[in-house]
Amino acid sequence: MFYPADKAQLLQQLKHDLDLSAQPIPSLRAVILPHAGHIYCARIAAHALRHIPREVSKILLVGPAHRTPFRGLALSSADFFTTPLGRIPLVKLRSDRSVSINDRAHAAEHCLEVICPYLQSHLDQFELLPVLVGQDGAAPLQELLSSVDKRFLVVISSDMSHFLNQQQAEQKDSQSIQQILALRSELSGDQACGYQGINACIDWAKPLQLTPELRAYDTSAKVNNDQSRVVGYSAFTFH
C-alpha cells in the first residue's frame, strides 16, 4: 500500500508528514521527488514541496515505467487522474513517433500516482501532464521539457539506489547527489530508477542556468530499521 485509500486518513497522514512551514521560491522550475510508499518518503518529499508556490497551476509529472516496456514517452488518454483527494484534470498533448498514448503502461504504474496526493494537498488547483519514460526516452523528454512554457513546474519522480546495504547505498547515493548538484547528466539505472528523467532535467536546466539544491536525503532503514537492504530517497529543487 503506497498510501491510505480513505480520504480522511490520507489527509491526516499528509498533514503529519508534510508539516513544514512553506518557503515558496518564485523562480522554482523543477523538483525531484521520491515515489515509494508515503510512510517511507513523504517526509523527504516535504522538504522540496515546501518550496513550491501554491499558485502553480500546471505540473509536468515525469516518472520511469517500471512494469510495461515501451520506447519513448507514454501519455494517458484519460481526462482525469483520481485519488482519494479528488480528480486532477489532465493536459492533452499531441502524439508523435516518440510520444504516444499508452494507457496500459499508466494503469500498471505507481511512480506518478504516489506523487499526486502530495501535489493535491499542497497546491490550490492545478492541471497535470503525466508522462512515463520508457526505453530511449531521455532525448524526447528533453525536447518536451524545452517545449513547455514557464507555467509548468517540472516534477521528476525517482528513487535513488535500490536494495544495497546501508553503507553501500549511502556511498552510491552520495555520488549520484554530487552528479546532480554538478549538473552532470551521467546517472545510470543502478543509481536511480528515474535516471532518464533526472538526466533530461539536468540537460534542460543547464542552458536555463538553474541551480539544483539537495533538500533532503535518507533511506528506507529510517522507517523499517533494516540496514541490510535499503532504498535511497532524495528531494531536490531547481531554481
Side-chain angles (χ1 to χ4, degrees):
M1 182 181 71
F2 289 98
Y3 57 75
D6 178 75
K7 179 179 179 179
Q9 187 179 354
L10 177 57
L11 284 171
Q12 183 179 10
Q13 180 175 300
L14 290 170
K15 182 179 180 180
H16 175 268
D17 292 339
L18 306 183
D19 187 22
L20 292 175
S21 59
Q23 296 180 354
I25 300 175
S27 59
L28 188 69
R29 297 295 307 278
V31 297
I32 299 174
L33 300 177
H35 57 234
H38 284 194
I39 62 170
Y40 286 101
C41 63
R43 58 192 174 79
I44 302 296
H47 288 274
L49 289 165
R50 70 189 303 193
H51 297 295
I52 301 177
R54 293 190 183 275
E55 61 269 19
V56 167
S57 61
K58 293 183 181 293
I59 298 287
L60 170 55
L61 178 57
V62 177
H66 289 84
R67 294 177 175 83
T68 304
F70 60 90
R71 292 192 176 277
L73 306 179
L75 307 176
S76 171
S77 68
D79 294 320
F80 299 90
F81 274 6
T82 303
T83 79
L85 303 186
R87 299 199 303 179
I88 307 170
L90 300 193
V91 176
K92 297 299 182 180
L93 194 68
R94 288 184 179 180
S95 300
D96 60 30
R97 287 186 178 181
S98 59
V99 183
S100 60
I101 300 294
N102 190 333
D103 289 328
R104 181 167 172 263
H106 278 274
E109 188 52 56
H110 69 280
C111 72
L112 305 185
E113 177 188 353
V114 169
I115 303 294
C116 288
Y118 296 152
L119 300 173
Q120 288 175 294
S121 68
H122 182 77
L123 300 175
D124 295 330
Q125 289 185 333
F126 67 97
E127 294 178 301
L128 185 70
L129 175 52
V131 178
L132 289 175
V133 183
Q135 299 172 16
D136 304 320
L141 177 57
Q142 189 177 348
E143 291 182 15
L144 175 60
L145 290 172
S146 299
S147 70
V148 297
D149 62 51
K150 290 184 178 181
R151 291 177 298 168
F152 279 89
L153 177 75
V154 175
V155 178
I156 304 295
S157 173
S158 181
D159 295 335
M160 302 295 280
S161 64
H162 285 59
F163 310 136
L164 303 175
N165 65 43
Q166 180 74 14
Q167 183 178 8
Q168 292 169 332
E170 288 177 347
Q171 291 174 345
K172 183 175 284 291
D173 292 342
S174 177
Q175 176 187 357
S176 303
I177 288 167
Q178 292 309 311
Q179 287 176 314
I180 294 170
L181 294 177
L183 292 175
R184 288 161 41 205
S185 53
E186 303 167 353
L187 270 70
S188 59
D190 67 330
Q191 292 177 275
C193 54
Y195 73 101
Q196 292 191 94
I198 295 174
N199 287 340
C201 183
I202 289 172
D203 286 337
W204 164 75
K206 284 180 189 175
L208 297 176
Q209 298 184 321
L210 300 181
T211 300
E213 290 193 40
L214 176 68
R215 298 298 179 175
Y217 169 79
D218 216 323
T219 74
S220 54
K222 179 78 171 183
V223 175
N224 63 19
N225 297 314
D226 181 2
Q227 295 195 5
S228 66
R229 193 170 183 264
V230 308
V231 178
Y233 309 122
S234 63
F236 291 83
T237 56
F238 289 75
H239 58 92

